[in-house]
Amino acid sequence: MSVNEASWAAGTRLRLARQARGLSQQQLAGMAAVTRQAVSAVESGHSDPSLRVALALSRALGMTVEELFGPGDPADPVLAQPVAPVGGEGSRVALATVGDTFVALPMNADTLARAGFRPAGGLVVGQEFHGDLVAVRPIAPPRSTLVVAGCDPALPLLKTPLALLDPPVGFAWWPCGNSEALRLAAAGLVHAAGVHQPGDEAEIPDGAEVVGFTSWREGLVIRPGTQITGLDDAARQGLRLVNREPGAQARNLLDRELGRLGLDPADLPGYDSQASGLTCIPLTEEQVDLVLPAKHAASREVQGLLKVLTSPWLLTQLANLPGYDPGRCGERS
């Protein structure tokens, strides 16, 4: 076993032993008279504990140093909170920690179609569910990973500057609509929710910070050569629509436009059909913000996010995307 693998194994056993006793990193640190940062560094595999720290942590957990930090199989299953149904035995998931919770992001055909192929962090172990939790066997060393939910396709651009931080931060994206992203943020299962102009402030988790990301034009995506200038033309010509899922901001915009024009959804063939080289007819420009739950505000992942939002590389990338304007990127509300 290499040094890195040994550090990962020791860190994983420490995290599992702590969580099995229902302790937070801060609580364990207090019991062992060490800093929370020391516990976090060992659990993430970034640091091997000194003899003093190893002894103190072992005593606090009621284990021997050999049991906690000796050689052994680090790939015991962990209990993770899935953000959506994960499937049966052998299902691939992205595995990350958000606060003190393991979070599993399903990697099924639907998410692959939206987010592309990504390396899996773990495999579901049979149907061994525990309430809302699912057993996952890690297949890669866990590392500090920013977990973001939202539908903006520019969000994965965060991956590159996060990887350049010292120490680096990984990136995991759960593509979903506004309401789902805010639900996950309120539940503490993501570090950030990317949302389009959250108009109802009551939807934002209490104490959450809102930080600007970008703005983009939103409207009708049509086949080149289609002769329409707006939604009323589409209804008049009986053109078939492919809609976004309920709760997505694009669908909310469509419903608002229907109301403004006095149209009924039945006037649009295909209104109830959904789909995730087309031409866009802009209907509005919307601001995309990042909602940061208060409970994760001080985490290394969120602090890393705030740092990269003003990086020249990210701003240049966003500015060169058709229809995007990064003028408010990193601006705090």
Side-chain angles (χ1 to χ4, degrees):
M1 182 181 290
S2 69
V3 174
N4 287 341
E5 289 173 332
S7 297
W8 166 55
T12 300
R13 281 196 297 275
L14 175 60
R15 180 187 294 277
L16 295 174
R18 173 179 62 78
Q19 291 184 328
R21 289 157 178 78
L23 299 173
S24 68
Q25 289 184 342
Q26 188 63 58
Q27 289 171 325
L28 176 57
M31 293 168 61
V34 301
T35 66
R36 187 198 65 77
Q37 289 78 8
V39 176
S40 176
V42 175
E43 288 191 357
S44 64
H46 291 305
S47 173
D48 291 322
S50 66
L51 179 59
R52 182 189 71 81
V53 170
L55 285 169
L57 291 174
S58 300
R59 290 193 189 106
L61 293 170
M63 302 172 67
T64 66
V65 173
E66 289 74 19
E67 288 173 331
L68 191 56
F69 296 110
D73 182 9
D76 292 329
V78 300
L79 293 180
Q81 178 71 60
V83 301
V86 295
E89 181 175 1
S91 297
R92 301 169 69 245
V93 298
L95 189 64
T97 54
V98 179
D100 287 330
T101 303
F102 279 103
V103 174
L105 288 72
M107 303 179 73
N108 52 33
D110 185 47
T111 56
L112 289 177
R114 289 179 285 171
F117 285 105
R118 297 165 292 159
L123 301 175
V124 174
V125 180
Q127 294 295 324
E128 189 182 346
F129 292 92
H130 304 259
D132 292 334
L133 304 178
V134 61
V136 176
R137 186 179 299 280
I139 59 174
R143 59 174 180 153
S144 177
T145 300
L146 178 77
V147 182
V148 180
C151 66
D152 193 319
L155 287 171
L157 289 175
L158 293 167
K159 180 177 180 178
T160 295
L162 285 169
L164 296 176
L165 293 175
D166 185 16
V169 173
F171 177 79
W173 176 39
W174 180 249
C176 62
N178 256 27
S179 57
E180 177 67 4
L182 286 170
R183 183 191 71 79
L184 293 172
L189 298 181
V190 296
H191 294 105
V195 298
H196 300 267
Q197 292 183 336
D200 183 1
E201 294 298 325
E203 292 181 343
I204 300 177
D206 290 341
E209 184 175 8
V210 179
V211 181
F213 181 55
T214 188
S215 62
W216 65 341
R217 294 192 301 271
E218 193 168 27
L220 300 176
V221 179
I222 63 172
R223 187 168 49 210
T226 305
Q227 300 300 311
I228 69 171
T229 60
L231 192 59
D232 47 354
D233 285 344
R236 256 193 313 272
Q237 296 180 34
L239 299 181
R240 176 163 290 277
L241 176 78
V242 178
N243 209 347
R244 285 293 306 278
E245 71 277 8
Q249 190 64 11
R251 183 161 181 151
N252 294 339
L253 170 62
L254 178 68
D255 291 340
R256 291 198 302 270
E257 186 70 2
L258 285 170
R260 186 184 71 82
L261 296 171
L263 297 173
D264 188 278
D267 296 329
L268 291 176
Y271 175 86
D272 292 323
S273 62
Q274 300 174 26
S276 347
L278 300 175
T279 301
C280 179
I281 297 177
L283 297 178
T284 187
E285 182 173 286
E286 298 215 349
Q287 174 67 29
V288 182
D289 292 322
L290 296 172
V291 176
L292 312 178
K295 67 185 298 184
H296 303 315
S299 68
R300 181 152 67 93
E301 293 85 0
V302 171
Q303 292 303 307
L305 169 64
L306 293 174
K307 185 179 296 184
V308 304
L309 284 176
T310 55
S311 70
W313 184 90
L314 179 63
L315 295 176
T316 299
Q317 291 290 327
L318 289 171
N320 282 281
L321 289 176
Y324 276 74
D325 178 3
R328 289 192 58 243
C329 192
E331 182 179 311
R332 301 191 184 195
S333 300

